[in-house]
Amino acid sequence: MPVPNLPAQIGPYRCGPSEPLLLIAGPCVLETADAALAIAERLAALAQETGVGLVFKASFDKANRTSIDSFRGPGLEEGLRILEQVKTATGLPVTTDIHESSQAAAAGEVCDLLQIPAFLVRQTDLLVAAARTGKAVNAKKGQFLAPSDMQHVVGKLSAAGCENILLCERGTFFGYGRLVNDMRCIPQMQALGTPVVFDATHSVQEPGGLGGRTGGQREMVEPLARAAMAVGCDGLFCETHPDPDRSPSDGPNMVPLDQLPALVKRLLAIRETVRSFA
């Protein structure tokens, strides 16, 4: 199986064990252009202050919402228009999820990084379409997969021409409505030849925990992120919002935007301490 070499290139950034932390951050779902730009400007300032490589993240369509009545986002065309505005205004690379092969080419024209949702990470046609855009791909480990299973995801992406692959740990099913993190997944997936990102906010989800909505334990984001830094993750995925409790999607999991800078600084301190022993 062809294996990519560390590190991976995402827009102007390199992600890997000897590189600055890559932070993928933004709201769960796009709401309005003004809201996205306001968040992105705050994140750009955070990147400038801390030296992290920052990729702005937001979904144009949350196709896997719990309820048929849940807000899904502005859709592909409008969502990509907003992401392009963010990229132009702030200079930040941008990323979004794709759920269908037909979305890959359009998303690849705007985004520097394409994200494959965990539930869809075994879908060969989706992986191949993402790889053929020539952009970096962040593949989330399915909640139902062992870390070793991700070798097949890497193989599919590599065979289709993707040279910059990230794998993402975001928890494993533990019974109904609960996720747990096995931190061994991080070095085990790094052994496949790819950088590994830790998704600190989806890892605290409680799927369907609020009946027709997903619940979560926001207070567990930092403890898990600290553990991932100590284990040696190469990047952090962290959804954020100015007022998570008013967000139309995944509010219980997101970090309040005004709390994110201090959190990132604490995590960077852990990462630097760990790297000093290498």
Side-chain angles (χ1 to χ4, degrees):
M1 180 188 75
V3 177
N5 294 320
L6 291 168
Q9 189 80 34
I10 297 92
Y13 308 130
R14 287 162 64 86
C15 179
S18 61
E19 304 295 336
L21 182 73
L22 183 74
L23 177 60
I24 302 172
C28 178
V29 65
L30 289 165
E31 298 173 49
T32 66
D34 287 345
L37 284 166
I39 295 171
E41 287 168 358
R42 296 275 296 276
L43 293 175
L46 170 61
Q48 183 81 17
E49 182 180 1
T50 61
V52 301
L54 199 143
V55 179
F56 178 83
K57 177 270 166 192
S59 299
F60 60 79
D61 179 19
K62 300 302 293 185
N64 57 351
R65 294 302 304 275
T66 302
S67 168
I68 189 68
D69 298 318
S70 297
F71 176 76
R72 289 181 51 167
L76 178 66
E77 184 175 345
E78 175 64 10
L80 291 178
R81 187 186 68 80
I82 293 172
L83 288 171
E84 191 163 32
Q85 282 186 307
V86 166
K87 187 174 181 177
T88 299
T90 65
L92 293 176
V94 297
T95 186
T96 195
D97 319 77
I98 56 172
H99 293 85
E100 300 175 8
S101 303
S102 60
Q103 298 170 342
E109 291 180 4
V110 173
C111 296
D112 304 87
L113 175 68
L114 298 181
Q115 181 171 283
I116 306 298
F119 286 133
L120 300 177
V121 76
R122 285 173 54 93
Q123 298 300 107
T124 301
D125 290 346
L126 183 62
L127 292 169
V128 168
R132 286 178 174 167
T133 67
K135 297 302 177 71
V137 176
N138 180 27
K140 290 197 165 186
K141 182 179 75 65
Q143 301 92 324
F144 43 86
L145 293 177
S148 60
D149 294 330
M150 294 299 285
Q151 66 182 303
H152 304 298
V153 175
V154 173
K156 291 175 183 180
L157 289 168
S158 296
C162 187
E163 298 179 351
N164 296 291
I165 300 171
L166 303 177
L167 298 182
C168 183
E169 159 60 16
R170 51 93 70 236
T172 301
F173 286 137
F174 187 71
Y176 297 124
R178 292 291 184 275
L179 298 169
V180 296
N181 290 104
D182 179 356
M183 291 298 171
R184 294 176 300 175
C185 291
I186 293 173
Q188 287 171 349
M189 290 195 294
Q190 286 171 328
L192 300 177
T194 66
V196 173
V197 174
F198 180 70
D199 183 341
T201 43
H202 288 105
S203 288
V204 304
Q205 275 187 336
E206 295 177 346
L210 298 177
R213 295 182 294 126
T214 292
Q217 294 181 298
R218 186 183 303 145
E219 67 276 12
M220 289 291 104
V221 168
E222 181 163 352
L224 290 174
R226 287 184 179 189
M229 293 294 141
V231 171
C233 69
D234 303 296
L236 180 74
F237 180 102
C238 188
E239 290 185 336
T240 186
H241 191 279
D243 188 357
D245 292 332
R246 293 180 179 271
S247 168
S249 178
D250 273 7
N253 314 312
M254 285 196 283
V255 174
L257 184 59
D258 62 0
Q259 296 178 19
L260 187 61
L263 170 60
V264 169
K265 291 173 186 176
R266 291 192 292 270
L267 296 177
L268 286 173
I270 294 171
R271 189 169 192 256
E272 289 305 310
T273 299
V274 171
R275 292 175 72 174
S276 71
F277 295 114

